[in-house]
Amino acid sequence: MTFAHALNDSGIMLGRNLRHTLRNPSTLFGSLLVPIILILVFVYILGGAFSAGGQYVDYIGPGGLVLTMGYSVASTAVGVANDMSEGIIARFRTMAISRAAVLTGHVVGSVIRTVVCVALVIGVLLLMGFSPEAGFAEWLGVAGLVVLMAFGTAWLTVAFGLAAKTVEGASFATFPLVFLPFISSAFAPTGSMPAGVRWFTDNQPFTPIIETLRGLLIGTPVGNNGILAVIWCLVMALGGYLWARALFRRDPAA
């Protein structure tokens, strides 16, 4: 099968994925509701307990974007697991469709949904008083990092969906992507944390991503966080892709 055919098949699978999203808007709504509620709670109820310098909404904004991405890509694992459990993948196997197209459609659809959710959450943050100092180049950097992280986590969630035995198991498998932002610098500086917790928050994937977004948006020092953020995103993308490809080829239903 030629590259052009594989690309065309991927476009068809992407269209299928996006139609599912439009027919089930609760998926998109759920990806937005929880992060927005958490941001509101932290800013207006718990924000007074934190000392992060400047407006707390400015500090929490980048972490809120990463949290939104975690909730957004979680539905991808459920969609993949649903396809596997319903046998639609087996039907696709009987057709002249590129094997990679099915997974690629899920990944690209997930990236598009995530970017939309992040854009909407930025709008909410601006209404709450978020005042980024980013110029055009910095906003381009933010957009690039958001897309790169969405791409990396999308491949991970596709792998989670393939590895899960049930749809419910797929939903639970994405828990680390939702939970890890809470144990990072998203809501409080790591310097205020106990030594053991600080070591973990400083060395987990989402802290350098958040710090890079924070530096781009409000001008805090980025240091080597930018390089680490890109590396972590690429590691998630490559690891998720290789894992998903192995599972997809091994599964007898695929």
Side-chain angles (χ1 to χ4, degrees):
M1 181 173 288
T2 66
F3 176 76
H5 286 147
L7 189 63
N8 182 65
D9 291 343
S10 297
I12 293 172
M13 291 297 108
L14 171 61
R16 169 181 176 265
N17 189 272
L18 294 178
R19 284 193 296 273
H20 284 177
T21 299
L22 294 175
R23 291 170 183 170
N24 186 22
S26 60
T27 300
L28 190 64
F29 181 74
S31 300
L32 286 167
L33 183 62
V34 176
I36 289 175
I37 289 176
L38 288 171
I39 291 170
L40 291 171
V41 168
F42 272 92
V43 171
Y44 293 122
I45 298 178
L46 303 176
F50 295 97
S51 177
Q55 291 193 98
Y56 187 59
V57 68
D58 289 339
Y59 182 86
I60 200 179
L65 300 185
V66 171
L67 188 65
T68 301
M69 286 188 269
Y71 275 96
S72 179
V73 297
S75 61
T76 303
V78 175
V80 172
N82 195 53
D83 278 353
M84 298 298 290
S85 63
E86 289 185 349
I88 188 66
I89 302 298
R91 288 194 285 273
F92 286 147
R93 278 290 295 263
T94 65
M95 303 167 65
I97 296 177
S98 168
R99 292 185 179 184
V102 179
L103 301 186
T104 302
H106 277 291
V107 169
V108 178
S110 178
V111 172
I112 292 173
R113 284 193 304 272
T114 300
V115 170
V116 170
C117 288
V118 168
L120 292 173
V121 170
I122 289 175
V124 172
L125 287 167
L126 291 173
L127 291 174
M128 294 171 62
F130 181 53
S131 53
E133 302 176 1
F136 180 73
E138 287 77 15
W139 277 111
L140 280 181
V142 169
L145 186 54
V146 166
V147 170
L148 187 59
M149 179 181 167
F151 183 72
T153 52
W155 272 114
L156 270 183
T157 51
V158 164
F160 290 154
L162 290 170
K165 301 300 182 183
T166 64
V167 174
E168 293 76 14
S171 179
F172 181 77
T174 60
F175 178 74
L177 297 178
V178 175
F179 180 69
L180 281 176
F182 289 96
I183 314 177
S184 69
S185 62
F187 303 107
T190 60
S192 64
M193 303 175 185
V197 177
R198 180 179 181 179
W199 180 90
F200 179 82
T201 57
D202 283 340
N203 292 281
Q204 62 119 313
F206 293 120
T207 292
I209 295 173
I210 292 168
E211 290 301 321
T212 301
L213 289 173
R214 186 171 286 133
L216 291 170
L217 288 169
I218 64 174
T220 56
V222 174
N224 63 349
N225 286 310
I227 296 174
L228 291 174
V230 172
I231 290 173
W232 274 116
C233 289
L234 293 176
V235 166
M236 287 189 286
L238 181 60
Y241 167 74
L242 294 175
W243 185 19
R245 187 179 68 171
L247 291 171
F248 193 68
R249 289 180 173 179
R250 186 179 64 189
D251 197 299

